[in-house]
């Protein structure tokens, strides 16, 4: 089929297959458990003259008294106690019944039972037989024992096995070759074959047995046109039917047979009751004849397709099929079908020969259609013949040896016992000798068969086989050349052999690579390549005289340059060409008898030169690839030495997050051995905070980043608690040809540098901010002190009920508030206040909001603060934390130009304090999240931001051994989370250090 089989059709086909298999299994169960059927060993048929014996089985209890053509006229109801010795008993009357039809005998035998006595009244119509057997009266009585009918169980089981082979091959083709053109047709044919071979009626006429009998007949009727139709279409509509009417005509006989079978089984009244048996016999023979004719027609189509096939593969496929059909159909037709049509009795041997080869049909079709392998039927048949002949020869030798041993033992020991242990020892030794002779005899017969089959090609084939083994033994060039020279010398019986290999550094372009029987050096003329190409055309080689002629011309034109020497010792030169490139030249001397090579020798050299060229080129390629591999190994070692020598940690992570490279510097930084890190997930190596920070930087791309990312001054710790400050760079790891296979992570330990920088920053705090803060505090505190003093003096002078008292109290409160703002500004700018101590996070947040109140007074957004109660103090610098909170609040203000809401929330989580800043602003784009902590990166307009706020904030949080995270989507605002350790947690960590 050109398109894959649909799921619905496949399910329907499998459902039908399962149903047929279940019915077959139930039928096989019934056949194995069916009771014995009473029989007399004779096939009786209805004739106009009565019930006549069509055939008499040689095992029948009546074989001595009934012959083919006799008539049975009546049967007697003999008691089960009757032992057949009527002559010894007193005469008595017996009940009898005439036999009008053959089926009456079946009922009579069933009534008598297997193993009991029975009696027939037989009529002999032939007067000759009467005289032979001494029969005085035409009708006489015959007593016999009722026997069990042969159910042919062994044959049924073998046919069931063939059916299973049909079904197995059909299902294999159905599932493995579903796109093939004839898959559906092929499976239908094999499924019907399964039914024909597997189903067999028990003749108990149960509901299941009736279904089995009907399905078997329907399958046999459809199998014939289906096979012919398949042969017409195989291999690819080779003989496609031209119209729908042709298909109808093809299947019309099968439909007629099916209708007759249905009528005979379910509407027997349509036929005459006395003719039902004859009609059944005619239908059975008609089905066999129908199948045989269609089978022959289909086989003829396959043979014609084989004759006209042009593709070698198709010819080999059809060869398998035709051999399988021929080896199975011919014995079946000769030993079963023809005797049945001609009413000839078939012996057990004929049945074995008829039914045994039937398994070859599914095997040959399945093998040729499923997958054709490069095996030749001729080779198989020839080797089978050799094995048979070898077995026959060994058997003959063994028999001769046994006879000889017998005579020898009797000659040596006149009174010897042939069953004694001495004789047995001699027989065992003879068997061992015969076993050892089998292999040499088989090989000798195989050689003779190949020589007879191939004729003149045998020497060439054996030479090629020897050369094939030689070329396959080694890929090293010196050993290969040595084997070639020795093989050529032995095969051609020559003493001098030389092989010249292409070399651009020599004048001739070829150098002597290996030689045998040559004492001096041999150099080819400079024009050898041109001479070979011109003069070897048509014959495949040149002779030394050709080189001499070209050299004389070269001497006249160019002087002594490019002249060869010593090449006259080798009369023949055979070029070895592969892909239009001459890779070598083989030089061959005279034979050991001093004669020239024969035409057969030169033909063999021409055939071998191509193989030698391929072998030499492969050897050169192998050597080149080995040198490249060694160079790559050196480069790899050099690169690994560089990676191990640098003082920064280098690791490579694949797309699945597994570590593939881990250098020595990382072992020193983290204290994790390389064996522990390699092939493990990076999540199992680093702590969760570092992994989350890296994931925030790489974003949704995961470990398949396309550009370089950086993390500066990340505060981490080792497994033993040692603090680290790291600069981390992430870049795409590119393999060969720029293919990205993971992420390269470079980790630099800057702990000491960060400590020095921190000390420098503390000492070099901007003096201008300090001076400004001091000046503002001085200028503001002086009038605030006066205002506060006067307000307090006035408060002392007024009474409690004076309306002015409330105004004075407000003045006093506002002066205190203004003084607090000034003091916060002083704390923010004071260097000494940068020392770490226990701080109240909620108080720091309030001070920050109070400090920013003038800037937020005109803002259009609202601030909602939700502080956790009874929070443990944090350990840090209030001024630096105030700077972080200030940056986050001002960024939130800038992100909500049209108003919104900023929520500030504090809470405790385990031994940490968590501060959440959540706004409803414009949010952060995904491509910018990974860069917001980079210095000088800003999305604000020029003049509105420096890009240092979040970078400084990130450094301050890292300095506090804290973490800062962000979650944001465009249009949904931003959520910054700060995680700081409590003062108690810092004390515990310091105690553990």
């Amino acid at each position: 089929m050109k398109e894959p089989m649909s799921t619905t059709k496949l399910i329907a086909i499998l459902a039908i297959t399962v149903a047929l298999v279940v019915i077959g299994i139930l039928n096989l169960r019934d056949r194995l458990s069916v009771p014995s059927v009473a029989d007399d060993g004779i096939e009786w048929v209805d004739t106009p003259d009565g019930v006549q014996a069509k055939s008499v089985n040689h095992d029948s209890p009546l074989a001595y008294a009934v012959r083919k053509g006799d008539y049975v006229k009546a049967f007697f109801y003999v008691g089960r106690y009757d032992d057949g010795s009527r002559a010894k008993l007193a005469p008595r009357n017996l009940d009898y019944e005439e036999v009008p039809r053959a089926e009456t005998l079946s009922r009579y035998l069933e009534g008598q039972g297997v193993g009991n006595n029975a009696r027939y009244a037989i009529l002999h119509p032939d007067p000759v037989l009467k005289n032979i057997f001494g029969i005085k009266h035409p009708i006489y009585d015959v007593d016999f024992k009722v026997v069990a009918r042969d159910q042919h169980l062994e044959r049924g089981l073998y046919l069931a096995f063939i059916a299973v082979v049909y079904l197995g091959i059909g299902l294999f083709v159905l599932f493995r070759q579903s796109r093939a053109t004839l898959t559906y047709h092929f499976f239908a044919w094999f499924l019907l074959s399964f039914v024909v071979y597997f189903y067999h009626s028990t003749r108990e006429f149960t509901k299941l047995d009736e279904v089995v009998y009907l399905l078997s007949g329907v399958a046999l009727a459809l199998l014939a046109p289906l096979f012919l139709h398949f042969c017409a279409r195989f291999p690819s509509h080779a003989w496609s039917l031209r119209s729908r009417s042709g298909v109808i005509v093809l299947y019309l006989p099968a439909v007629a047979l099916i209708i007759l079978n249905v009528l005979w089984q379910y509407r027997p009244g349509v036929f005459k009751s006395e003719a039902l048996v004859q009609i059944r016999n005619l239908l059975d023979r008609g089905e066999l004849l129908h199948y045989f004719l269609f089978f022959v027609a289909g086989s003829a189509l396959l043979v014609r397709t084989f004759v006209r096939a042009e593709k070698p593969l198709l010819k080999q496929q059809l060869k398998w099929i035709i051999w399988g059909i021929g080896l199975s159909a011919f014995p079946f037709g000769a030993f079963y079908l023809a005797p049945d049509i001609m009413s000839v009795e078939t012996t057990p041997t004929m049945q074995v020969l008829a039914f045994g080869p039937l398994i070859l049909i599914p095997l040959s079709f399945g093998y040729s259609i499923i997958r054709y392998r490069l095996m030749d039927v001729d080779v198989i048949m020839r080797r089978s013949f050799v094995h048979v002949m070898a077995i026959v020869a060994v058997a003959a030798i063994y028999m001769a040896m046994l006879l000889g041993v017998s005579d020898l033992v009797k000659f040596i020991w006149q009174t010897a016992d042939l069953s004694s242990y001495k004789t047995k020892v001699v027989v065992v030794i003879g068997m061992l000798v015969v076993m050892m002779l089998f292999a040499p005899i088989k090989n000798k017969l195989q050689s003779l068969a190949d020589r007879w089959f191939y004729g003149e090609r045998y020497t060439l084939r054996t030479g090629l086989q020897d050369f094939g083994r030689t070329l396959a033994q080694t890929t090293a060039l010196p050993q290969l050349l040595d084997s070639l020279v020795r093989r050529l010398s032995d095969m051609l019986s020559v003493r001098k052999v030389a092989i010249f290999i292409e070399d651009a550094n020599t004048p001739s372009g070829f150098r002597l690579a290996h030689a045998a029987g040559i004492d001096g050096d041999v150099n080819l003329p400079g024009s050898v390549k041109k001479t070979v190409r011109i003069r070897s055309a048509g014959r495949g080689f040149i002779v030394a005289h050709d080189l001499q002629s070209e050299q004389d011309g070269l001497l006249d034109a160019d002087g002594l340059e490019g002249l060869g020497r010593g090449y006259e010792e080798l009369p023949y030169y055979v070029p070895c060409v592969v892909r239009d490139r001459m890779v070598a030249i083989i030089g061959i001397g005279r034979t050991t008898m001093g004669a020239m090579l024969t035409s057969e020798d030169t033909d063999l050299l021409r055939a071998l030169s191509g193989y030698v060229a391929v072998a030499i080129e492969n050897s050169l390629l192998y050597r080149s690839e080995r040198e490249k591999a060694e160079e790559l190994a050196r480069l790899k070692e050099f690169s690994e030495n560089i990676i191990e020598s640098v003082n920064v940690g280098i690791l490579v992570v694949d797309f699945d997050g597994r570590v593939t490279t881990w250098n020595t510097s990382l072992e020193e930084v983290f204290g994790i051995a390389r064996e522990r890190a390699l092939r493990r997930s990076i999540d199992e190596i680093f702590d969760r905070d570092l992994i989350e920070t890296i994931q925030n930087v790489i974003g949704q791309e995961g470990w398949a980043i396309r550009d370089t990312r950086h993390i500066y001054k990340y505060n981490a710790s080792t497994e033993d608690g040692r603090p680290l400050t790291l600069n981390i760079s992430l870049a795409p790891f590119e393999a060969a040809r720029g293919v990205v296979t993971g992420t390269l992570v470079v980790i630099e330990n800057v702990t000491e540098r960060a400590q020095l920088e921190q000390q420098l920053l503390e000492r070099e705090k901007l003096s201008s901010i300090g001076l400004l803060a001091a000046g503002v505090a001085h200028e503001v505190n002086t009038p605030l002190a006066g205002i506060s003093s006067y307000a307090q003096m006035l408060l002392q002078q007024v009474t409690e009920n004076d309306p002015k008292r409330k105004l004075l109290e407000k003045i006093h409160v506002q002066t205190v508030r203004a003084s607090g703002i000034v003091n916060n500004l002083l704390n923010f700018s004071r260097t000494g206040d940068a020392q770490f101590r226990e701080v109240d996070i909620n108080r720091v947040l309030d001070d920050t909001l109070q400090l920013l109140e003038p800037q937020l007074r005109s803002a259009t957004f609202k601030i909602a603060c939700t502080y956790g109660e009874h929070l443990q103090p944090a350990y840090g610098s209030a001024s630096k934390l105030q700077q972080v909170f200030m940056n986050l609040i001002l960024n939130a203000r800038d992100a909500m130009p049209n108003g919104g809401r900023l929520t500030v929330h504090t809470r405790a989580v385990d031994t940490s304090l968590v501060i959440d800043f959540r706004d409803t602003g414009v949010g952060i784009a995904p491509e910018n999240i990974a860069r917001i902590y980079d210095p000088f990166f800003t999305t604000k307009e020029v003049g509105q931001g420096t890009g240092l706020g979040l970078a400084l904030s990130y450094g301050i949080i890292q300095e506090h051994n804290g973490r800062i995270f962000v979650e944001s989507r465009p249009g949904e605002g931003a959520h910054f989370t700060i995680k700081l350790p409590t003062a108690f947690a810092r004390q515990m960590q310091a105690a553990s250090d």
Side-chain angles (χ1 to χ4, degrees):
M1 292 172 288
K2 294 183 179 180
E3 297 180 357
M5 191 178 301
S6 65
T7 305
T8 305
K9 182 181 293 185
L10 181 61
I11 293 174
I13 291 174
L14 293 179
I16 295 173
T17 304
V18 171
L20 292 176
V21 171
V22 171
I23 294 174
I25 293 174
L26 295 177
N27 172 242
L28 182 61
R29 180 203 62 183
D30 293 345
R31 287 156 54 191
L32 294 175
S33 60
V34 67
S36 300
V37 179
D39 194 21
D40 55 10
I42 300 177
E43 183 180 358
W44 300 98
V45 295
D46 294 329
T47 65
D49 296 330
V51 180
Q52 188 181 33
K54 178 183 177 182
S55 63
V56 181
N57 197 316
H58 65 280
D59 294 330
S60 171
L62 295 173
Y64 69 94
V66 179
R67 294 294 180 267
K68 179 180 177 182
D70 290 351
Y71 294 91
V72 57
K73 292 300 183 179
F75 54 78
F76 296 86
Y77 292 102
V78 181
R80 299 188 180 214
Y81 57 84
D82 192 344
D83 60 358
S85 57
R86 293 186 294 111
K88 299 179 181 180
L89 298 176
R92 52 191 173 89
N93 295 325
L94 297 175
D95 295 333
Y96 72 93
E97 182 179 340
E98 293 184 357
V99 181
R101 291 198 311 232
E103 61 183 18
T104 309
L105 292 176
S106 299
R107 292 197 300 268
Y108 166 70
L109 294 174
E110 285 294 331
Q112 292 300 111
V114 177
N116 294 314
N117 297 323
R119 182 179 300 166
Y120 285 165
I122 303 298
L123 170 63
H124 267 300
D126 191 349
V128 178
L129 291 176
K130 294 178 183 179
N131 296 329
I132 293 175
F133 290 98
I135 301 173
K136 299 180 179 179
H137 301 285
I139 299 177
Y140 62 95
D141 296 344
V142 179
D143 292 329
F144 64 95
K145 290 280 188 181
V146 179
V147 296
R149 179 183 298 166
D150 186 7
Q151 300 289 341
H152 301 290
L153 186 60
E154 294 81 4
R155 186 179 72 185
L157 292 177
Y158 176 67
L159 294 178
F161 171 73
I162 296 177
V164 173
V165 173
Y166 268 106
L167 183 62
I169 294 176
L171 289 173
F172 183 83
V173 173
L174 180 67
F175 288 109
R176 293 293 298 273
Q177 305 286 333
S178 59
R179 295 178 180 270
T181 306
L182 299 176
T183 297
Y184 179 71
H185 200 148
F186 181 83
F187 180 75
W189 171 34
F190 270 49
L191 183 61
L192 289 179
S193 300
F194 166 78
V195 174
V196 170
Y197 282 88
F198 203 95
Y199 286 24
H200 186 73
S201 174
T202 61
R203 299 189 179 181
E204 292 183 326
F205 302 106
T206 62
K207 293 295 184 182
L208 177 63
D209 196 53
E210 290 180 357
V211 172
V212 168
Y213 192 78
L214 179 62
L215 290 177
S216 178
V218 171
L220 183 59
L222 289 176
L223 190 59
L226 196 65
F227 172 75
L228 180 58
H229 195 182
F230 178 84
C231 294
R233 299 180 63 193
F234 183 80
S236 180
H237 297 277
W239 298 91
S240 59
L241 298 176
R242 299 178 182 272
S243 63
R244 187 181 298 271
S245 60
V247 178
I248 295 175
V249 171
L250 182 65
Y251 286 88
L252 192 59
V255 175
L257 287 174
I258 293 172
I259 294 174
L260 290 175
N261 273 290
V262 173
L263 292 177
W264 187 90
Q265 184 167 343
Y266 294 102
R267 292 291 185 270
V270 177
F271 310 99
K272 294 180 180 181
S273 58
E274 61 274 9
L276 285 177
V277 177
Q278 291 87 341
I279 293 175
R280 181 68 266 169
N281 292 333
L282 289 175
L283 284 177
D284 291 341
R285 292 186 178 181
E287 288 175 347
L288 286 177
L289 184 61
H290 171 248
Y291 181 74
F292 178 75
L293 294 177
F294 277 64
F295 191 86
V296 171
S299 302
L301 285 179
L302 290 177
V303 172
R304 188 171 183 180
T305 304
F306 170 76
V307 173
R308 296 188 174 185
E310 297 179 356
K311 298 180 179 179
L313 179 61
L314 178 59
K315 274 187 170 293
Q316 293 288 15
Q317 286 181 328
L318 290 171
K319 184 186 292 185
W320 272 103
I321 294 173
I322 293 171
W323 270 99
I325 292 175
L327 292 177
S328 58
F330 179 76
F332 182 79
F335 296 111
Y336 184 80
L337 186 61
D340 183 74
I341 294 176
M342 294 185 295
S343 300
V344 177
E345 181 182 357
T346 58
T347 64
T349 303
M350 293 173 63
Q351 293 183 12
V352 171
L353 294 176
F355 290 96
L358 290 178
I359 196 172
L360 296 177
I361 296 179
L363 292 180
S364 60
F365 266 92
Y367 186 77
S368 63
I369 292 178
I370 293 173
R371 186 178 65 177
Y372 171 71
R373 297 173 183 169
L374 296 179
M375 295 179 63
D376 200 308
V377 180
D378 301 331
V379 175
I380 296 174
M381 298 302 296
R382 188 169 65 255
R383 290 182 179 177
S384 301
F385 172 76
V386 168
H387 278 79
V388 171
M389 294 301 297
I391 293 172
V392 171
V394 169
I397 295 174
Y398 182 66
M399 294 301 297
M401 185 173 293
L402 287 181
L403 296 176
V405 167
S406 176
D407 296 336
L408 179 63
V409 171
K410 287 183 178 180
F411 177 76
I412 296 176
W413 299 292
Q414 296 295 330
T415 60
D417 184 8
L418 294 180
S419 62
S420 65
Y421 75 93
K422 296 179 180 179
T423 307
K424 293 180 179 179
V425 169
V426 175
V427 172
V428 170
I429 294 175
M431 292 178 63
L432 294 176
V433 172
V434 169
M435 290 175 60
M436 289 186 292
L437 288 176
F438 178 78
I441 291 174
K442 180 183 73 67
N443 294 334
K444 184 62 177 178
L445 290 174
Q446 185 71 56
S447 176
L448 293 175
D450 290 341
R451 187 180 296 275
W452 172 79
F453 181 81
Y454 294 112
E456 297 179 355
R457 296 178 296 161
Y458 179 75
T459 304
L460 179 59
R461 289 180 62 88
T462 54
L464 292 177
Q465 290 175 357
D466 292 340
F467 254 84
R469 287 190 291 269
T470 301
L471 298 179
Q473 288 175 354
T474 181
T475 54
L477 187 61
Q479 291 82 352
L480 176 64
L481 296 178
D482 182 67
S483 299
L484 290 174
V485 168
R486 285 189 289 103
R487 182 67 65 179
L488 287 171
S489 178
D490 295 340
M491 186 172 60
L492 299 176
S493 299
V494 295
R495 286 194 298 265
K496 297 181 179 181
V497 180
I499 298 180
F500 303 87
I501 292 181
E502 186 179 22
D503 189 354
N505 298 323
T506 60
S508 64
F510 293 89
R511 64 176 176 85
L512 179 62
H514 198 83
I518 300 177
D519 298 330
D521 194 11
V522 178
N523 293 326
L524 296 177
S527 61
V528 62
K529 184 176 293 187
K530 176 182 177 182
T531 304
V532 168
R533 291 191 180 278
I534 295 175
R535 302 208 174 189
S536 66
R539 57 181 179 175
F541 64 93
I542 63 172
V543 295
H545 177 71
D546 297 329
L547 293 177
Q548 182 65 41
S549 300
E550 291 293 331
Q551 181 164 320
D552 293 341
L554 184 65
L555 180 62
D556 296 338
D558 301 326
L560 297 176
E561 183 180 359
L563 295 181
R565 65 178 183 275
Y567 62 86
E568 300 87 355
E569 297 183 44
L570 304 171
Y572 298 94
Y573 291 90
V574 182
C576 300
V577 181
V578 57
R579 289 190 291 272
D580 295 332
R581 175 176 163 233
M582 192 184 306
V583 298
I585 296 176
I586 302 176
I588 302 293
R590 294 177 179 269
T591 65
T592 54
M593 304 298 295
M596 302 294 286
L597 298 180
T598 65
S599 60
E600 183 179 347
D601 295 335
T602 56
D603 291 340
L604 182 59
L605 280 174
R606 290 180 58 185
L608 295 177
S609 63
Y611 295 97
V612 173
V614 173
I616 292 176
E617 185 186 40
N618 290 340
S619 180
L620 294 174
L621 289 175
Y622 174 77
R623 184 171 66 180
S624 175
E625 292 299 324
R626 185 178 60 186
E627 293 175 353
K628 291 180 180 179
E630 293 174 353
E631 181 66 22
L632 288 175
R634 288 193 294 269
L635 291 175
K636 180 181 178 181
E637 183 180 2
F638 180 72
S639 301
E640 290 177 350
N641 292 336
I642 293 177
I643 292 175
E644 294 299 323
S645 301
V646 296
N647 60 352
V648 295
I650 296 176
L651 66 95
V652 178
V653 184
D654 61 17
F655 291 147
D656 296 328
R658 295 193 175 276
V659 177
T660 59
T661 300
W662 184 277
N663 71 341
T664 305
S665 296
L666 281 178
E667 293 181 339
E668 297 174 354
V669 172
F670 290 97
I672 300 175
R674 179 178 302 154
E675 292 75 14
R676 287 180 53 196
L678 290 178
R679 293 178 295 278
R680 290 179 59 192
S681 174
I682 194 172
D683 298 340
E684 302 174 4
I685 301 174
F686 295 137
D687 60 73
R688 187 61 191 167
D689 291 338
L690 176 57
I691 295 300
E692 290 180 355
T693 303
I694 294 176
Q695 289 176 348
N696 285 334
V697 172
I698 63 180
Q700 298 179 354
E701 298 181 18
W703 299 107
I705 61 175
R706 299 297 176 182
D707 54 359
T708 304
R709 313 288 172 82
H710 301 283
I711 301 175
Y712 295 103
K713 294 184 179 179
Y714 177 84
N715 290 326
S717 60
T718 60
E719 291 181 340
D720 55 1
R722 178 166 49 88
L724 297 172
T725 302
L726 307 173
N727 285 342
I728 303 174
S729 298
L730 301 98
F733 183 74
E734 296 183 358
R737 299 180 180 179
V739 178
V740 177
T741 60
T743 299
L744 175 67
V745 183
V746 179
I747 300 177
E748 183 182 5
N749 185 6
V750 294
T751 304
E752 296 181 0
R753 187 196 311 169
Q755 293 174 353
L756 295 175
E757 290 177 355
Q758 181 61 32
Q759 295 175 3
L760 183 61
L761 287 174
E762 291 292 340
R763 293 183 184 139
E764 295 181 358
K765 191 173 182 181
L766 296 176
S767 59
S768 58
I769 297 178
L771 293 174
L772 177 62
V776 170
H778 177 75
E779 294 297 332
V780 174
N781 274 334
T782 300
L784 284 178
I787 295 172
S788 177
S789 299
Y790 290 137
Q792 292 178 24
M793 293 173 60
L794 291 175
L795 284 173
Q796 293 177 358
Q797 295 177 4
V798 297
T799 62
E800 294 291 336
N801 298 327
D802 193 336
K804 297 180 180 179
R805 186 174 183 83
K806 292 183 178 182
L807 295 176
L808 293 173
E809 289 177 352
K810 290 181 180 180
I811 293 173
H812 177 67
V813 170
Q814 292 300 325
T815 55
V816 172
R817 181 172 178 274
S819 177
I821 293 173
V822 172
N823 290 333
N824 286 335
L825 184 60
L826 281 173
N827 290 335
F828 177 73
S829 61
R830 186 176 297 128
T831 303
D833 197 35
Q835 297 180 357
F836 281 31
R837 59 174 61 89
E838 293 185 1
V839 294
D840 185 354
I841 291 297
N842 294 343
R843 177 64 181 274
V844 174
L845 283 169
D846 286 337
D847 291 344
T848 303
L849 292 173
Q850 188 178 16
L851 185 64
L852 292 175
E853 183 180 359
Q855 302 181 49
L856 303 178
R857 188 174 300 157
S858 60
T860 57
F861 70 96
K862 297 181 180 180
I863 301 177
C865 298
T866 306
Y867 296 155
E869 299 181 354
H870 308 294
L871 298 179
Q872 294 187 24
Y875 186 78
S877 170
S879 61
K880 290 188 175 183
L881 292 176
Q882 207 172 48
Q883 183 177 359
V884 173
F885 299 156
M886 185 184 302
N887 286 330
L888 294 178
I889 294 172
L890 292 178
N891 285 344
R893 178 200 65 181
D894 297 337
M896 296 182 290
N898 300 323
R901 183 182 181 86
L902 173 64
T903 303
V904 182
H905 177 59
T906 60
R907 52 195 169 91
V909 178
D910 297 332
T911 59
S912 301
L913 298 175
V914 179
I915 306 99
D916 295 312
F917 292 86
R918 188 188 300 272
D919 64 64
T920 60
V922 297
I924 306 173
E927 61 271 14
N928 294 332
I929 288 182
R931 304 179 59 191
I932 58 175
Y933 300 117
D934 293 348
F936 306 107
F937 174 78
T938 180
T939 58
K940 299 178 182 179
E941 297 180 0
V942 178
Q944 296 186 6
T946 61
L948 293 173
L950 286 178
L952 292 175
S953 300
Y954 181 85
I956 292 172
I957 296 301
Q958 293 293 318
E959 184 182 358
H960 285 73
N961 283 340
R963 303 289 181 265
I964 181 170
F965 311 102
V966 61
E967 296 178 3
S968 178
R969 293 182 180 178
E972 298 182 7
H975 177 201
F976 283 87
T977 301
I978 298 175
K979 185 177 179 182
L980 297 172
T982 61
F984 179 75
R986 289 296 299 272
Q987 292 174 2
M988 294 299 295
Q989 183 179 1
S992 63
D993 294 341

